[in-house]
Amino acid sequence: MATHTSPQPEAPVEEWHDKKRYLWLMGLVPPTAVLMAVALVWAFNGLGWTAVSPVFWWIGPILVYGLLPVLDLFFGPDGQNPPDDVMEQLENDKYYRYCTYIYIPFQLTSLVVACYLWTADNLSWLGMEGGLSVISKIGLAFSIGVMGGVGINTAHEMGHKKDSLERWLSKVTLAQTFYGHFYIEHNRGHHVRVATPEDPASARFGETFWQFLPRSVWGSLKSSWALEKTRMNRLGKSTWNIRNDVLNAWLMSLVLFGTLTAVFGVGILPFLVLQAVYGFSLLETVNYLEHYGLLRAKTASGRYERCAPAHSWNSDHIVTNIFLYHLQRHSDHHANPTRRYQTLRSMDGAPNLPSGYASMISLAYFPPIWRRVMDHRVLEHYRGDIESVNIQPSKREKILARYGADA
């Protein structure tokens, strides 16, 4: 007589959940860092440690150049990608977009507090005699600049979305650094020309950061204006029109700077300029390392091949990923520009940086160290074929002579 065995129950499939869900709130550290600095200065002065307390006005650079690289090294890569079956649900979860929205009120509050601190001549409530020293004011400007630089990344996240509110909030976030044209150039310029010699925001092999910075700043400005001029012409309107997204974004900056100056006086202007320049230079440092030396090949038709994971440098170090809303998963971002940060994946085929963006920013400032760390990685990515690399034109012959024999 035949015996029948009952089918074994399948092992339960573990439900996927975002382990970083509440860690994304750590993205609020940059816009609240100055508020934390105020509390720390007050506490240290209260303890009589007045010689140490001024260091906290430099909390922004300490975070970027010190704490984040150490934390990236300690915690290492993330290693978690969302599976296909949760992508839609994860994309539509509004909690994640609220994590970016809330950046803005803290950003504006910290900026106002900084303006007060730059101009106050009696800070006795902080346990100080008189106002801040010039060095402390400069440190505060750099800390506010860090907030603005990270804010550009927050604006980047919102500016890619189709929702009109998020696009407007993107411009508001960019107002602090007077970099509103980024909203146009990044979406309609950089994403079209990325990893080509025509893109001002794609760094070339052999190009130092200090050469790249003015080229990217000026090139992006010219490109954004040309893009909006073309759009206005198609609409049959003058370029000097409020619907020009470069002009209305700059107008937000003028209103912000004008209002702050009217309230706190012209004494804040040098510090507003300093924080803005430093803030957008942080963005440009990230631009420099995201596509350094990478080049899209041309097809038989003479057009560039479609952007692929191989055309962006990635890093999956979890700490900087949290602070920058997965910006380091840059290949997926270029493949899916409207995809929200929580659903971005670490992609196969993408070249990887040796550490997180926070660590690489510091290296970019020192060209000999940068080239020692990165140039061989570019060549390895192209299997030694120097002709496949996006080379700095002024150094092309020298670079070909140096690496050609090894190609």
Side-chain angles (χ1 to χ4, degrees):
M1 182 175 178
T3 59
H4 298 277
T5 58
S6 300
Q8 294 296 317
E10 293 183 3
V13 178
E14 183 179 353
E15 183 178 354
W16 186 91
H17 66 280
D18 183 7
K19 296 177 181 178
K20 301 188 292 289
R21 181 177 178 86
Y22 298 107
L23 290 177
W24 292 117
L25 293 173
M26 296 298 292
L28 296 178
V29 169
T32 59
V34 165
L35 304 180
M36 289 187 281
V38 171
L40 289 168
V41 169
W42 173 82
F44 272 57
N45 285 342
L47 293 170
W49 299 345
T50 56
V52 178
S53 64
V55 172
F56 293 114
W57 299 123
W58 294 81
I59 192 170
I62 291 171
L63 177 70
V64 170
Y65 303 117
L67 185 59
L68 281 182
V70 170
L71 292 176
D72 267 340
L73 182 64
F74 182 79
F75 288 100
D78 182 350
Q80 185 192 44
N81 274 342
D84 290 339
D85 57 356
V86 303
M87 292 290 277
E88 184 177 358
Q89 177 185 350
L90 198 59
E91 186 82 11
N92 294 326
D93 189 337
K94 292 188 177 181
Y95 162 80
Y96 293 95
R97 66 189 72 178
Y98 295 151
C99 287
T100 58
Y101 294 173
I102 200 172
Y103 191 101
I104 301 171
F106 283 115
Q107 176 187 16
L108 295 175
T109 299
S110 293
L111 182 59
V112 170
V113 168
C115 290
Y116 161 72
L117 292 169
W118 283 324
T119 56
D121 56 10
N122 181 4
L123 293 174
S124 57
W125 62 277
L126 278 177
M128 300 172 54
E129 292 184 7
L132 297 184
S133 68
V134 173
I135 298 299
S136 292
K137 289 180 180 180
I138 292 173
L140 178 58
F142 275 94
S143 293
I144 289 294
V146 167
M147 178 181 73
V150 177
I152 296 177
N153 179 61
T154 308
H156 164 261
E157 170 63 25
M158 293 185 286
H160 270 294
K161 304 306 175 282
K162 298 177 181 179
D163 184 85
S164 59
L165 171 63
E166 290 184 273
R167 289 174 176 263
W168 182 80
L169 290 175
S170 175
K171 294 181 186 178
V172 172
T173 312
L174 291 167
Q176 177 196 332
T177 48
F178 228 110
Y179 228 53
H181 57 280
F182 172 83
Y183 168 83
I184 297 301
E185 165 56 19
H186 180 81
N187 292 359
R188 289 160 45 199
H190 173 65
H191 271 261
V192 173
R193 300 183 298 245
V194 62
T196 70
E198 291 78 24
D199 180 30
S202 292
R204 301 158 179 169
F205 187 88
E207 181 179 32
T208 71
F209 167 70
W210 305 107
Q211 294 169 325
F212 170 81
L213 179 61
R215 181 175 73 86
S216 184
V217 171
W218 181 241
S220 297
L221 176 60
K222 288 195 300 181
S223 175
S224 63
W225 185 258
L227 287 167
E228 277 302 273
K229 182 178 181 180
T230 300
R231 189 173 74 89
M232 289 296 100
N233 288 342
R234 287 174 179 168
L235 294 174
K237 297 186 179 295
S238 167
T239 307
W240 298 91
N241 186 290
I242 194 62
R243 292 181 63 182
N244 181 324
D245 281 327
V246 173
L247 288 180
N248 59 50
W250 286 349
L251 181 60
M252 287 186 178
S253 294
L254 286 173
V255 169
L256 177 63
F257 280 39
T259 301
L260 292 173
T261 302
V263 174
F264 295 101
V266 296
I268 65 170
L269 287 176
F271 302 107
L272 283 179
V273 171
L274 177 60
Q275 66 82 26
V277 172
Y278 178 62
F280 70 66
S281 75
L282 278 178
L283 161 77
E284 296 297 353
T285 315
V286 171
N287 277 340
Y288 177 74
L289 59 91
E290 283 176 335
H291 305 283
Y292 177 76
L294 302 180
L295 179 66
R296 286 154 58 194
K298 286 190 174 181
T299 64
S301 66
R303 303 185 64 169
Y304 287 107
E305 64 181 328
R306 186 174 181 178
C307 187
H311 301 126
S312 301
W313 289 100
N314 282 247
S315 172
D316 204 27
H317 283 69
I318 187 169
V319 176
T320 302
N321 258 343
I322 290 168
F323 276 81
L324 296 182
Y325 303 113
H326 269 162
L327 180 66
Q328 297 180 134
R329 294 183 170 184
H330 208 60
S331 291
D332 195 4
H333 167 67
H334 272 280
N336 303 283
T338 60
R339 179 173 286 177
R340 294 188 180 275
Y341 68 91
Q342 67 270 22
T343 56
L344 291 175
R345 294 166 164 173
S346 185
M347 301 183 74
D348 294 334
N352 280 279
L353 296 169
S355 188
Y357 281 12
S359 302
M360 302 305 294
I361 284 173
S362 298
L363 295 186
Y365 296 151
F366 302 96
I369 300 176
W370 172 264
R371 295 199 64 184
R372 181 179 293 273
V373 171
M374 287 301 300
D375 282 8
H376 72 90
R377 285 182 165 84
V378 175
L379 288 171
E380 288 165 6
H381 178 60
Y382 288 107
R383 296 179 174 83
D385 183 9
I386 190 64
E387 294 284 359
S388 297
V389 176
N390 186 8
I391 301 174
Q392 172 76 339
S394 63
K395 298 181 180 178
R396 185 172 186 83
E397 290 186 10
K398 182 179 179 180
I399 288 173
L400 289 177
R402 179 178 179 182
Y403 295 106
D406 300 325

